Amino acid sequence: MTTSVTHDGRPASGLVTKDITPRIATEIRADKQTLLSGAHAGRIRELLEQRGVLVFPQIGFTDDEQVAFTQTLGTIAREVSGEEVYNVTLDPKVSQTADYLKGSLYWHIDGTMSEVPILASLLSSKVAPEAGGDTEFCNTYAAYENLPDREKREIESLRVMHSAWNTLFYYDPEPRIEMLRRMMAIGDQELPLVWTHRSGRKSLILGATARHIIDMDFKKSAELLVQLRDWATQPQFVYRHKWTVGDLVIWDNTGTMHRATPYDAKSGRLLHRTKLQGEEPFA
Ligand code: OGA
Ligand code: MN
C-alpha cells in the first residue's frame, strides 16, 4: 500500500490507495469524514479517470452520506423520476422499474441514448445475494490502447447505431410487439466506435445497445462488434467485484463497460445508486 501524494508533493493524509489489477480498479481506504470533507475530490476524480473503477471496501455510507460524497466529486444527476438515490434490484416488488435492469446483465455503457452520458455511477451494497450478483467492469481505454495499430486504423472512422431496443432481445428473444415498440420509443443514436476524449485519450464505445455499424455489410458488422466486445472483456481488462454489504464502488462510465453477473431476482440483492452528471459529449 502507498499513501498517495498531492500535486504539490504533500502526502494526502488519510487516503490509502492500492491498485487491484494492473489495468483496472483501485481500492481506496479512508475514513468517512476524510472522504466527505471533499479534500481529496480532485485526486479521486483523477484516479477514477486513470483506473476506471474505484472500490471503497465497507465504507458503510448512509444514503445521505452517499449523496454528499457524490456531490464532492461533481454535479449529482437525478433519475428521470426525480430521486437522487435509486434502488438497483431485479425484484419488481421492490422497484417499479426493475424490468429495465434486465439489460444490466449484459456488457453496457449507461446513457448511450444521451448526447452527454453520465460521467460516473456510485453503487453501494445494502443487501448482498447469497450467490451470483457480482458486478464486472472492463476498461475500454485500455482495450483500445492495446489493439494492434492496424486494427486501430481500420476502426478509427467507423460509426455505430446504438438502440435501446437492441438490448431487449438479449433477455426477451420473442417480445410482444407492444414491448418492442415501447423500447423503440426510447430512441437510437449514432455514435463513433472510437471516442476521442478532450484529454486526447481514446476509448471504445460498445455494449448491448450497439446495433450495427453504419454502412457495413450486416454479417461483417455483427462479427466486428462481437470481436471487439470479446477483445475488450478479456480478463486483463476486467475487474469483478464481489459485494460485501457496505462496499461502495464508483465507475467511470465514459471509459468502462459494466454488467451484473446473473442473480435471482428474489435473492434480496439491493444496491443504492447515485450518479454524476456527464461533463463531455460522445465525440
Ligand atoms: C447499473 C448497473 C449493475 C449491477 O446500475 O447501471 O448496470 O451489478 N448495475 O447491478
Ligand atoms: Mn448500468
Side-chain angles (χ1 to χ4, degrees):
M1 291 226 180
T2 54
T3 299
S4 69
V5 170
T6 55
H7 284 308
D8 55 10
R10 284 178 297 111
S13 65
L15 203 67
V16 178
T17 67
K18 189 179 87 176
D19 289 352
I20 301 175
T21 84
R23 289 189 177 89
I24 182 169
T26 291
E27 183 183 289
I28 298 184
R29 296 205 181 252
D31 57 46
K32 275 189 186 183
Q33 285 322 310
T34 303
L35 294 175
L36 292 172
S37 74
H40 303 294
R43 172 77 181 132
I44 293 171
R45 281 284 303 257
E46 214 172 82
L47 275 170
L48 182 62
E49 206 241 275
Q50 290 304 318
R51 305 287 307 152
V53 177
L54 302 178
V55 179
F56 301 79
Q58 292 170 72
I59 187 72
F61 279 153
T62 63
D63 281 358
D64 285 349
E65 287 167 342
Q66 183 170 340
V67 167
F69 179 56
T70 305
Q71 283 165 333
T72 67
L73 300 175
T75 308
I76 197 162
R78 288 174 183 274
E79 299 294 328
V80 208
S81 48
E83 73 238 279
E84 287 176 329
V85 180
Y86 179 77
N87 284 332
V88 173
T89 168
L90 284 179
D91 191 343
K93 290 206 188 81
V94 180
S95 165
Q96 287 190 336
T97 51
D99 276 1
Y100 285 101
L101 281 168
K102 286 182 180 165
S104 69
L105 298 175
Y106 307 94
W107 287 110
H108 66 281
I109 296 171
D110 292 334
T112 52
M113 296 300 106
S114 317
E115 261 172 68
V116 182
I118 55 164
L119 171 69
S121 280
L122 297 81
L123 280 183
S124 60
S125 170
K126 300 297 165 181
V127 182
E130 261 170 42
D134 299 345
T135 307
E136 290 186 301
F137 303 90
C138 74
N139 188 331
T140 53
Y141 282 118
Y144 174 81
E145 283 155 15
N146 285 278
L147 278 172
D149 285 341
R150 180 183 42 78
E151 275 189 62
K152 283 185 186 160
R153 279 194 302 276
E154 277 169 16
I155 67 168
E156 71 185 349
S157 56
L158 295 180
R159 296 184 65 80
V160 180
M161 184 60 76
H162 284 258
S163 304
W165 61 268
N166 197 56
T167 65
L168 175 61
F169 291 97
Y170 280 77
Y171 56 85
D172 186 2
E174 295 180 344
R176 302 292 306 267
I177 186 64
E178 296 78 16
M179 178 54 98
L180 178 62
R181 289 190 181 126
R182 212 177 308 152
M183 292 299 286
M184 283 183 162
I186 299 175
D188 306 272
Q189 179 164 236
E190 193 182 306
L191 295 172
L193 177 54
V194 178
W195 183 351
T196 306
H197 299 250
R198 282 184 196 138
S199 62
R201 292 179 77 203
K202 294 181 181 190
S203 67
L204 294 170
I205 307 175
L206 295 167
T209 56
R211 175 75 194 97
H212 64 269
I213 299 174
I214 307 292
D215 292 335
M216 186 179 280
D217 168 76
F218 188 72
K219 272 173 81 176
K220 281 215 169 68
S221 156
E223 195 182 349
L224 183 52
L225 289 174
V226 170
Q227 185 192 322
L228 287 171
R229 184 190 59 226
D230 245 17
W231 173 267
T233 58
Q234 292 176 98
Q236 68 266 34
F237 304 130
V238 171
Y239 167 64
R240 178 172 182 148
H241 189 74
K242 186 165 177 44
W243 293 98
T244 299
V245 171
D247 287 352
L248 177 85
V249 173
I250 314 181
W251 71 89
D252 174 355
N253 184 59
T254 71
T256 58
M257 288 196 285
H258 61 282
R259 68 172 177 182
T261 68
Y263 62 99
D264 182 353
K266 296 194 193 74
S267 66
R269 181 190 197 258
L270 181 64
L271 300 164
H272 281 187
R273 184 179 72 195
T274 50
K275 298 189 295 196
L276 282 168
Q277 266 179 31
E279 298 176 0
E280 190 175 340
F282 287 116

